[in-house]
């Protein structure tokens, strides 16, 4: 897989951002909007999976801990059909053992 450059301004870039905390979601979207052309936002994993299937974004950014299903479980589902789309995982966890 070739490296993905989020700041390549010559390319149209779409991002799926999955975050259940609305205040964090809004701030992050404001920052992303400075760098990417399209941002698809989901507030839970089920919505994220649906938006992924409908939009096929260039990159996925997801929180780990969300209600009902984690961002890691969402990635597992996506990887069943798509091995290439880069994923960035965000978390407020400080426990590095959990993250690993």
């Amino acid at each position: 897989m070739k490296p993905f450059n989020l700041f390549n301004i010559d390319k149209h870039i779409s991002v799926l951002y999955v975050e259940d905390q609305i205040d964090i979601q809004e701030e992050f979207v404001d920052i992303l909007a400075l760098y990417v052309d399209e941002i698809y936002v989901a507030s839970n994993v089920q919505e994220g999976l649906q938006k992924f299937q409908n939009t096929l974004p260039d990159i996925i950014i997801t929180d780990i801990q969300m209600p009902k299903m984690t961002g890691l479980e969402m990635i597992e589902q996506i990887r069943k059909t798509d091995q290439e789309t880069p994923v960035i995982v965000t978390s407020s966890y400080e426990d590095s053992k959990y993250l690993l």
Side-chain angles (χ1 to χ4, degrees):
M1 178 188 316
K2 69 178 190 172
F4 188 87
N5 183 356
L6 183 63
F7 303 106
N8 181 354
I9 59 173
D10 295 333
K11 182 178 184 234
H12 171 82
I13 298 174
S14 62
V15 173
L16 170 61
Y17 179 51
V18 186
E19 169 63 63
D20 63 319
Q21 293 184 12
I22 301 302
D23 54 335
I24 294 171
Q25 186 185 94
E26 290 172 350
E27 287 183 40
F28 207 88
V29 166
D30 288 344
I31 293 168
L32 278 175
L34 299 172
Y35 300 101
V36 301
D37 299 310
E38 287 186 72
I39 306 166
Y40 307 106
V41 179
S43 297
N44 59 58
V45 169
Q46 292 80 10
E47 188 180 343
L49 287 169
Q50 182 179 27
K51 287 194 178 192
F52 175 79
Q53 293 170 350
N54 293 337
T55 63
L56 299 175
D58 296 308
I59 190 166
I60 301 164
I61 302 173
T62 183
D63 185 22
I64 290 179
Q65 190 61 43
M66 288 181 276
K68 297 183 184 179
M69 192 180 210
T70 69
L72 299 178
E73 291 170 314
M74 180 184 73
I75 294 166
E76 286 179 28
Q77 292 294 315
I78 289 171
R79 288 296 182 237
K80 291 179 181 178
T81 59
D82 180 331
Q83 295 289 317
E84 298 296 318
T85 303
V87 178
I88 297 172
V89 178
T90 62
S91 177
S92 61
Y93 282 104
E94 294 179 11
D95 183 359
S96 59
K97 289 180 185 177
Y98 176 82
L99 294 174
L100 294 174

